[in-house]
Amino acid sequence: MNLVDKIENTFTLTTPLYYVNDVPHIGSAYTTMAADVVARSQRLLGHSVLLITGTDEHGQKIQRTAESKGRSPQSFCDEISAGFASLWELLNIQYDRFIRTTDDRHKAIVKEFFQRVWERGDIYLSQQQGWYCVSCEEFKEERELLEGHRCPIHTNKEVEWRDEQNYFFRLSKYQTQLQTLYKSQPDFIQPESRRNEVLNFVNQGLQDFSISRINLEWGLPLPVDPQHTIYVWFDALLGYVTALLEPEQEPTLENALAKWWPINLHLIGKDILRFHTVYWPAMLMSADIKLPLRVFVHGFLTKDGQKMGKSLGNTLNPVELIKCYGADAVRYYFLKEIEFGKDGDFNESRFINVLNADLANDLGNLLNRTLSMVKKYCAGNVPQIKNEDIPFEHPLKSIGFHLGEQVRNAYEALAFNQACEAVLLLVQASNKFIDEQAPWTLYKQGQHQAVEQVLYAVLESVRLAAYLLSPIIPNISSDIYQQLGFGIDFNDQIQTSISAPFATHGTWGVLSNQQKLGEPRPIFKRIELSKND
Ligand code: MSP
């Protein structure tokens, strides 16, 4: 069965399903923030979006962690999984589905999928020997290991020798089909550097991989041999499919795949590249299911140059960061300061400097000083200017006119930093424009028309900046919009997509003089560096 084409206008995206071996850290939050930004930008464009996130709860790593804490795996998973959901709330992530791989409905989906692959003749029993990293839940090649048989990703963990009977998936059978996929769909893996990495890996020849574990209780039983449990990755990737089910729907593949499949975008970190770009498409090929359209791979957040992670124990607590600085600040920093696709280091003074410079000074002051001048020089009304009367060569209109498209392209390319930088150029140009035009002098000279024109152009530029940044800083953007007299809350995404769609609000010249402006109030309070910094 090759399922129907993607229903037009729908956009489905996923974050990885996070392991619940520990509370979430900023690394997990990073992918989820990016996913939320993509979802919000797609909604502004009028698409019907399904954002999937969730938790990956089976496997040895979780079983051992729960045991070490004297807990049953299920109650441990319940607690940690809830912690992820509440972090997403704090971070203002509006996901549509939260899938837990311990959900009952997931069992039915995995069983049906397994059956299809089994009937295809792609699963067989054999002996598995090799080095296993429990933190990665992955076998490693001897040559990949660091000294002392340590994992290259979890550098403080030793891999374990395994010699056991496992069921294998015939990955090798799909080598040519995978190569054809990468060739015919060059955008399937992004960025380019990751694509090359996968091409090299696949070109070296693929080996079948084991998809069952023996003597591991915490997992789904293998339908054809219940002494085995299904390998956690085989189970987890299918979580993306289970998540597509409507709440009351019967859990069948056909139901799950009917509306939102294929997935438009999987967002992942670089450590889980092979699973998503080699194993996963091969599994889907075997089950005769259409493939996802794009996998985008981001880098690692590092602290002092080392991957931040639960297994290494050098994480940054996102809850504290949000409580201290607010969700928008955290979202802005990570998306503006780190090129999505590359590694990036976190440093608190840099964090504070960026927020002060961009949000408090450039954007915040611009709005505040302009609204105060409007109050003083235009009796608090939007200046009586029509967009049509402002020439295209106007220093702000000329930037603003193309900005929407530029930023939209940046969001589509997941170049969040470029989106922010392009918007900031307009904001900075606006500040410069006010300083040069000096409306306070024009006012004294009685040039009221000129004052109105300057203030209109600046207010409109702030509005556009707020709109275009709304997927990243929805609270601040809503605050700006409200001060400009729009009854729009960017967190009400459905309403926003109706009353402020990209097609009208994403261009320059929207502000109308019918608008009733609100009271100026600071949108982002400057953060003071403590004396010790
Ligand atoms: N459970 C698997 C994913 C299964 S998807 C069907 C898993 N979970 S994880 O919790 O270990 O990692 C989830 C995601 O977080 C991965 O994309 C990983 O790259 C990302 N990050 C974990 N630490 C990270 C950083 N320090 N920096 C950025 N992202 C990192 O893998």
Side-chain angles (χ1 to χ4, degrees):
M1 174 175 66
N2 217 332
L3 286 135
V4 284
D5 278 329
K6 180 89 189 165
I7 295 183
E8 226 183 297
N9 208 30
T10 59
F11 189 94
T12 317
L13 78 162
T14 68
T15 73
L17 308 183
Y18 301 102
Y19 284 133
V20 287
N21 58 317
D22 204 350
V23 292
H25 60 83
I26 199 78
S28 359
Y30 183 52
T31 331
T32 318
M33 288 189 270
D36 185 61
V37 171
V38 175
R40 286 174 186 264
S41 62
Q42 287 290 330
R43 289 199 182 98
L44 289 182
L45 293 170
H47 293 136
S48 189
V49 176
L50 193 82
L51 168 54
I52 296 170
T53 188
T55 43
D56 180 0
E57 308 190 358
H58 290 128
Q60 189 144 37
K61 162 148 114 171
I62 310 298
Q63 180 172 313
R64 279 193 189 166
T65 316
E67 269 164 11
S68 74
K69 297 191 187 292
R71 303 277 302 273
S72 81
Q74 189 64 63
S75 84
F76 182 66
C77 290
D78 291 348
E79 180 187 318
I80 305 281
S81 181
F84 275 87
S86 67
L87 174 61
W88 302 155
E89 196 161 316
L90 277 181
L91 259 180
N92 204 358
I93 309 283
Q94 294 193 1
Y95 56 82
D96 300 285
R97 298 286 156 79
F98 189 101
I99 173 71
R100 298 183 57 190
T101 56
T102 49
D103 282 355
D104 271 344
R105 300 196 313 163
H106 181 59
K107 282 186 199 143
I109 292 292
V110 173
K111 197 168 166 200
E112 190 185 340
F113 186 91
F114 181 91
Q115 206 60 38
R116 274 210 206 176
V117 177
W118 176 261
E119 280 161 19
R120 194 74 188 260
D122 284 346
I123 296 173
Y124 64 94
L125 187 64
S126 186
Q127 193 70 17
Q128 168 79 65
Q129 286 187 325
W131 295 107
Y132 194 70
C133 170
V134 176
S135 295
C136 291
E137 292 280 14
E138 186 182 19
F139 279 100
K140 302 278 168 186
E141 300 286 333
E142 177 113 36
R143 62 186 150 82
E144 293 178 76
L145 301 177
L146 306 179
E147 216 185 289
H149 285 113
R150 283 172 302 119
C151 166
I153 296 175
H154 305 96
T155 51
N156 59 346
K157 301 268 158 115
E158 274 185 36
V159 291
E160 300 172 15
W161 179 251
R162 295 286 156 85
D163 184 358
E164 60 186 37
Q165 276 221 316
N166 284 170
Y167 283 85
F168 282 73
F169 172 71
R170 279 188 215 285
L171 182 65
S172 55
K173 178 175 155 188
Y174 293 94
Q175 165 134 1
T176 316
Q177 259 174 275
L178 285 169
Q179 283 163 323
T180 311
L181 160 72
Y182 307 140
K183 208 166 174 190
S184 63
Q185 240 176 275
D187 293 344
F188 179 66
I189 308 167
Q190 288 176 327
E192 185 73 22
S193 56
R194 297 293 164 206
R195 178 171 182 267
N196 292 336
E197 200 178 314
V198 174
L199 290 185
N200 283 339
F201 174 71
V202 175
N203 290 343
Q204 280 172 28
L206 290 175
Q207 290 179 2
D208 298 346
F209 71 99
S210 66
I211 57 160
S212 79
R213 295 290 179 268
I214 193 111
N215 303 325
L216 172 72
E217 261 171 57
W218 187 236
L220 300 176
L222 204 80
V224 295
D225 185 349
Q227 282 198 316
H228 287 251
T229 45
I230 294 187
Y231 172 41
V232 58
W233 267 101
F234 194 88
D235 153 0
L237 287 161
L238 287 164
Y240 295 141
V241 174
T242 310
L244 302 172
L245 289 165
E246 300 298 328
E248 301 308 324
Q249 238 174 357
E250 199 198 332
T252 64
L253 280 178
E254 194 177 1
N255 281 342
L257 300 171
K259 176 165 182 197
W260 295 100
W261 191 266
I263 283 164
N264 296 72
L265 176 65
H266 284 304
L267 287 178
I268 59 164
K270 63 184 180 181
D271 51 339
I272 55 176
L273 174 65
R274 281 183 204 171
F275 293 105
H276 285 80
T277 58
V278 183
Y279 296 11
W280 179 224
M283 285 163 60
L284 292 166
M285 285 170 182
S286 170
D288 200 13
I289 293 174
K290 273 186 186 294
L291 305 183
L293 302 173
R294 183 178 176 203
V295 180
F296 195 101
V297 190
H298 66 71
F300 280 160
L301 299 181
T302 56
K303 207 169 158 200
D304 311 319
Q306 266 213 322
K307 179 192 177 228
M308 231 185 267
K310 291 174 271 204
S311 304
L312 284 178
N314 63 341
T315 58
L316 184 71
N317 184 340
V319 175
E320 275 169 26
L321 212 57
I322 301 162
K323 286 204 169 136
C324 200
Y325 303 110
D328 278 10
V330 176
R331 295 165 65 108
Y332 185 79
Y333 175 82
F334 285 104
L335 294 164
K336 148 94 195 310
E337 274 304 290
I338 298 165
E339 184 181 334
F340 203 61
K342 300 256 168 76
D343 291 348
D345 211 50
F346 179 84
N347 170 296
E348 198 152 354
S349 355
R350 172 99 198 111
F351 176 86
I352 293 174
N353 288 338
V354 166
L355 298 172
N356 280 345
D358 297 1
L359 301 183
N361 295 356
D362 286 354
L363 186 61
N365 281 350
L366 178 64
L367 174 70
N368 210 262
R369 69 202 280 229
T370 314
L371 278 179
S372 306
M373 282 189 262
V374 168
K375 210 168 168 187
K376 207 157 152 194
Y377 305 139
C378 315
N381 300 316
V382 172
Q384 301 299 303
I385 299 290
K386 286 204 193 85
N387 174 31
E388 305 85 85
D389 299 337
I390 303 181
F392 276 109
E393 314 71 67
H394 184 282
L396 301 186
K397 186 172 182 174
S398 62
I399 303 177
F401 191 70
H402 298 287
L403 189 64
E405 202 187 323
Q406 210 181 330
V407 171
R408 172 196 172 142
N409 291 340
Y411 279 129
E412 286 189 346
L414 309 191
F416 309 114
N417 60 335
Q418 285 176 21
C420 293
E421 270 151 24
V423 172
L424 269 188
L425 280 183
L426 175 65
V427 170
Q428 284 155 358
S430 303
N431 274 313
K432 187 162 164 259
F433 182 68
I434 295 201
D435 294 341
E436 284 167 2
Q437 298 294 315
W440 44 93
T441 311
L442 294 172
Y443 186 75
K444 273 194 208 136
Q445 292 166 347
Q447 299 194 50
H448 293 238
Q449 176 73 8
V451 171
E452 301 232 333
Q453 208 189 78
V454 171
L455 295 180
Y456 177 89
V458 176
L459 272 190
E460 172 54 12
S461 299
V462 187
R463 182 207 61 77
L464 182 61
Y467 186 82
L468 297 175
L469 288 179
S470 69
I472 299 179
I473 47 169
N475 295 336
I476 292 178
S477 292
S478 301
D479 204 358
I480 296 179
Y481 252 57
Q482 272 145 26
Q483 291 187 47
L484 293 176
F486 291 94
I488 282 175
D489 174 358
F490 288 100
N491 289 311
D492 184 346
Q493 294 190 54
I494 302 207
Q495 190 50 41
T496 302
S497 68
I498 297 165
S499 40
F502 191 89
T504 48
H505 279 239
T507 50
W508 202 90
V510 168
L511 200 62
S512 107
N513 39 40
Q514 306 302 319
Q515 201 88 350
K516 183 101 197 69
L517 295 175
E519 272 301 300
R521 53 174 193 273
I523 52 155
F524 188 84
K525 228 173 124 234
R526 214 186 135 72
I527 308 163
E528 297 307 331
L529 276 169
S530 73
K531 289 201 179 68
N532 308 332
D533 289 316

